[in-house]
Amino acid sequence: MQDINRHNVQKLVSLIAEAKKITVVSHMKPDGDAVGCCIGMYHYLAASGKTGTKIVLPHRVPSYLNFLIDKDMACDLCIHEDKPKLALEVISSSDLIICLDFNAFHRTDSLEDALRSSAAEKVLIDHHLNPDRTSFTLAFSETEVSSASEFLFQILMRTPIINEDAGNLPQKTALALMTGMTTDTNNFNNSVFPSTLRMASALIEAGVDRDFILSNLYNQYSEKRMRLMGHTLQDLMTITKDGVAYIIFDKKLLQEYHIEEGDTEGFVNLPLSIGRVKMSLLLKEDGDRIRVSIRSKKGVSANRCAQLHFNGGGHENAAGGRLYIPKDVAGIEEAAAYIETYTHLFMTTENEK
Ligand SMILES: [Mn+2]
């Protein structure tokens, strides 16, 4: 946690104190961690007297996270895919931009240019490898944490108004950060550090309702999601002789099951429960690209595979990327052959550096 020192926390506190218009941003296709830490930060800023803070996201918040959005906050939430002009105006008119849960501006997709060209002070708070530190006034980066939500929790705990007592966090911040950590660890299934359990313990003591979070996250799925899961496991999952499982969702299937963002959350993890599966890939056709999620077991680097073959990267055992049509593959129908070829190369010669 070398970035969390008195000097940096002090600097963050004074950047916030001096700012007149603060904007909080996160990455494209925001997940529970991205949304959780943005909302957590928003309510911390509001409690610090910073009204008028905006949250700008490239894409909509998945509906399973709606329980984190209250009426007051909803009008400060600006989504680029809904209101592109407004989103870019908010960014260019802010004097402090707090960037959460991503390591470089290109991860924000449509917000990238506006963030890059903005004259605002920029703060990074993130848990991915290889942060682009030079683009920020102040960077907090740490990979030995479960999530950006956990890292933000640790930083906020060191600020004077919270003063190491989670009971001083606004309740909505506590709820949002617990939610972000829970989704990024897949409910304590991966990336759990001693500090993660300390955070959970402090937040539960401070009154966070974990049952409420779990019932919102995991017991509110649509029927179509479970039916698609059944079809996927029965008919669409392939396992190669190298122990690589892959699932491909083309546009037709996504339309047939009326699949929205968030509906396939967690699918990529399912094949890892099979003993001989060492790495799992989920591909989704999305316009002129195919989005790729990769998860791996210990000893196999999802991050390296994403970097080498899928124009991406991420964490050691959880990464993502994309294949461009027609640059990488002529179309979705060629994706299976691409995966077979390149994961075989990866598993046999490239994984062990
Ligand atoms: Mn994250």
Side-chain angles (χ1 to χ4, degrees):
M1 312 296 151
Q2 53 184 10
D3 285 338
I4 307 186
N5 53 51
R6 192 179 301 170
H7 174 263
N8 282 352
V9 174
Q10 186 56 54
K11 173 108 195 187
L12 174 66
V13 169
S14 54
L15 283 171
I16 290 171
E18 284 155 23
K20 292 197 175 59
K21 281 186 82 176
I22 306 178
T23 299
V24 179
V25 302
S26 192
H27 59 75
M28 61 177 118
K29 310 276 177 185
D31 56 6
D33 191 27
V35 173
C37 54
C38 285
I39 294 179
M41 190 76 202
Y42 173 90
H43 289 296
Y44 167 84
L45 292 169
S48 321
K50 289 288 162 179
T51 50
T53 298
K54 303 279 183 204
I55 299 176
V56 177
L57 295 170
H59 302 104
R60 285 174 211 125
V61 173
S63 58
Y64 68 94
L65 296 168
N66 281 344
F67 73 100
L68 294 177
I69 301 174
D70 59 36
K71 263 203 212 100
D72 294 342
M73 209 211 83
C75 53
D76 289 325
L77 179 61
C78 182
I79 306 296
H80 183 275
E81 79 176 313
D82 292 332
K83 294 180 177 170
K85 211 168 145 235
L86 182 65
L88 300 181
E89 270 168 24
V90 168
I91 289 175
S92 62
S93 65
S94 27
D95 54 4
L96 174 61
I97 302 175
I98 302 178
C99 300
L100 301 170
D101 196 30
F102 65 89
N103 56 358
F105 291 139
H106 69 87
R107 296 276 302 121
T108 65
D109 201 34
S110 50
L111 309 181
E112 177 178 359
D113 293 342
L115 290 173
R116 226 178 261 292
S117 61
S118 149
E121 305 279 7
K122 293 164 201 166
V123 174
L124 176 73
I125 298 174
D126 180 48
H127 71 126
H128 295 86
L129 299 162
N130 310 320
D132 177 20
R133 289 180 184 269
T134 56
S135 295
F136 297 91
T137 317
L138 175 64
F140 294 90
S141 172
E142 173 61 60
T143 55
E144 300 280 298
V145 286
S146 62
S147 53
S149 294
E150 179 189 333
F151 196 38
L152 177 59
F153 168 83
Q154 294 180 8
I155 293 167
L156 296 183
M157 287 288 276
R158 300 284 290 271
T159 61
I161 65 164
I162 307 303
N163 192 25
E164 301 286 355
D165 181 352
N168 292 333
L169 286 167
Q171 279 188 5
K172 289 171 184 172
T173 294
L175 179 75
L177 296 182
M178 184 76 146
T179 301
M181 179 271 282
T182 301
T183 59
D184 246 27
T185 60
N186 190 15
N187 197 15
F188 297 92
N189 269 290
N190 50 262
S191 327
V192 172
F193 293 82
S195 56
T196 315
L197 296 173
R198 282 195 293 272
M199 168 194 183
S201 162
L203 289 178
I204 290 170
E205 216 154 37
V208 169
D209 187 346
R210 198 171 117 79
D211 293 338
F212 172 71
I213 294 174
L214 294 186
S215 87
N216 274 287
L217 290 179
Y218 302 118
N219 297 336
Q220 302 289 338
Y221 288 123
S222 60
E223 179 182 338
K224 70 188 178 195
R225 176 186 190 270
M226 186 149 286
R227 297 206 181 277
L228 175 64
M229 189 185 282
H231 175 45
T232 301
L233 297 178
Q234 181 71 30
D235 309 311
L236 302 178
M237 178 179 66
T238 305
I239 306 177
T240 72
K241 61 182 189 311
D242 302 303
V244 174
Y246 65 89
I247 298 163
I248 299 173
F249 290 156
D250 60 23
K251 211 181 321 171
K252 192 167 147 276
L253 182 99
L254 294 170
Q255 280 165 359
E256 194 181 315
Y257 280 86
H258 305 285
I259 289 305
E260 291 152 35
E261 206 55 44
D263 281 344
T264 56
E265 188 78 33
F267 277 31
V268 65
N269 295 307
L270 297 171
L272 290 178
S273 67
I274 300 166
R276 73 180 174 100
V277 171
K278 299 185 172 62
M279 183 161 73
S280 167
L281 291 88
L282 176 73
L283 279 74
K284 268 193 207 175
E285 188 176 8
D286 185 9
D288 62 351
R289 62 187 64 181
I290 300 166
R291 288 197 276 136
V292 184
S293 300
I294 310 178
R295 299 291 182 273
S296 62
K297 288 182 181 164
K298 225 178 185 147
V300 177
S301 176
N303 177 48
R304 198 175 312 141
C305 187
Q307 284 180 353
L308 288 174
H309 302 299
F310 297 97
N311 305 298
H315 308 287
E316 190 61 10
N317 298 117
R322 58 213 69 82
L323 292 176
Y324 296 103
I325 303 171
K327 190 180 137 271
D328 298 312
V329 287
I332 189 79
E333 59 289 341
E334 278 190 12
Y338 183 98
I339 292 177
E340 298 261 353
T341 304
Y342 288 102
T343 61
H344 178 65
L345 181 69
F346 179 76
M347 294 300 281
T348 50
T349 65
E350 297 169 334
N351 179 47
E352 316 248 320
K353 247 198 320 213

